């Protein structure tokens, strides 16, 4: 499936940019910190380039998945990173430094990359809203016009309900 996807993950959710330029997250400061950990991973994998950071979504996916499975707990960031990103030369201390020093840079990039939305997760497939995110794999397979990979076989489809916030 990875071969047919141009994945763009943006950890921003229902965050808001405040009038003073700071950011606040729907679920508090911990959510903002966890989002920044994910964003910094993409940003640093892209060589510190905000224009290219989304191209690193697939490479950052093991870390992002672990963080999401940990409920977005920023205290799990280091263990998720060290357990899932051991094939990169990028250290956790670099991620942590980025969160401390580049928070506004990466969060503003996420703000700019996030379309207006009514809830999260806000999933687009070829620019079209996918309201039932449990059908993501099917939607990607249906949208793909090339030879479909084995993962597009109906036997691979799973239905997983994702709660909207």
């Amino acid at each position: 499936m990875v071969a047919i996807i141009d994945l763009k993950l943006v950890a921003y959710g229902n965050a808001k940019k405040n009038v003073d330029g700071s950011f606040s997250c729907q679920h508090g400061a911990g959510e903002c910190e966890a989002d920044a950990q994910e964003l910094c991973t993409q940003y640093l994998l892209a060589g510190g380039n905000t224009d290219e950071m989304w191209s690193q979504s697939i490479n950052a996916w093991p870390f992002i998945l672990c963080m999401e499975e940990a409920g977005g707990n920023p205290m799990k960031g280091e263990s998720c990173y060290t357990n899932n990103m051991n094939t990169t030369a990028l250290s956790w201390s670099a991620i942590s430094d980025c969160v401390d020093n580049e928070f506004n840079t990466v969060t503003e990039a996420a703000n700019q990359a996030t379309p207006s939305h009514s809830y999260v997760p806000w999933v687009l497939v070829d620019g079209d809203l996918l309201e039932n995110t449990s059908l993501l794999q099917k939607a990607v397979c249906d949208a793909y016009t090339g030879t479909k990979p084995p993962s597009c076989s109906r036997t691979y489809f799973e239905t997983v309900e994702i709660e909207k916030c």
Side-chain angles (χ1 to χ4, degrees):
M1 175 84 63
V2 171
I4 67 169
I5 291 179
D6 180 16
L7 182 66
K8 179 180 178 181
L9 293 169
V10 182
Y12 192 73
N14 288 323
K16 300 286 183 228
K17 186 173 184 178
N18 303 313
V19 293
D20 66 357
S22 65
F23 293 89
S24 57
C25 291
Q26 178 181 8
H27 301 292
E31 180 183 20
C32 281
E33 183 179 355
D35 286 353
Q37 291 170 350
E38 294 176 20
L39 294 167
C40 279
T41 299
Q42 292 169 285
Y43 175 69
L44 293 176
L45 286 171
N49 184 333
T50 56
D51 292 330
E52 297 295 324
M53 65 191 281
W54 314 121
S55 69
Q56 296 301 313
S57 294
I58 287 287
N59 295 329
W61 175 245
F63 171 64
I64 294 170
L65 177 61
C66 180
M67 289 297 292
E68 295 302 314
E69 289 174 341
N73 181 350
M75 301 302 291
K76 300 289 186 179
E78 184 173 8
S79 63
C80 278
Y81 190 85
T82 55
N83 290 332
N84 292 284
M85 299 297 290
N86 53 13
T87 60
T88 178
L90 195 58
S91 68
W92 173 253
S93 65
I95 303 299
S96 183
D97 287 346
C98 174
V99 171
D100 292 341
N101 300 308
E102 302 286 337
F103 177 88
N104 283 346
T105 300
V106 298
T107 306
E108 179 59 32
N111 176 37
Q112 295 297 315
T114 301
S116 176
H117 59 278
S118 303
Y119 54 85
V120 293
W122 191 255
V123 178
L124 302 176
V125 176
D126 282 348
D128 295 325
L129 176 63
L130 179 64
E131 290 188 35
N132 185 348
T133 56
S134 67
L135 298 176
L136 176 60
Q137 185 174 0
K138 180 181 182 322
V140 168
C141 290
D142 288 350
Y144 186 64
T145 58
T147 302
K148 304 210 188 297
S151 57
C152 284
S153 163
R154 290 210 178 273
T155 59
Y156 284 89
F157 294 152
E158 289 184 33
T159 301
V160 177
E161 286 298 317
I162 299 175
E163 183 179 336
K164 295 177 182 176
C165 291

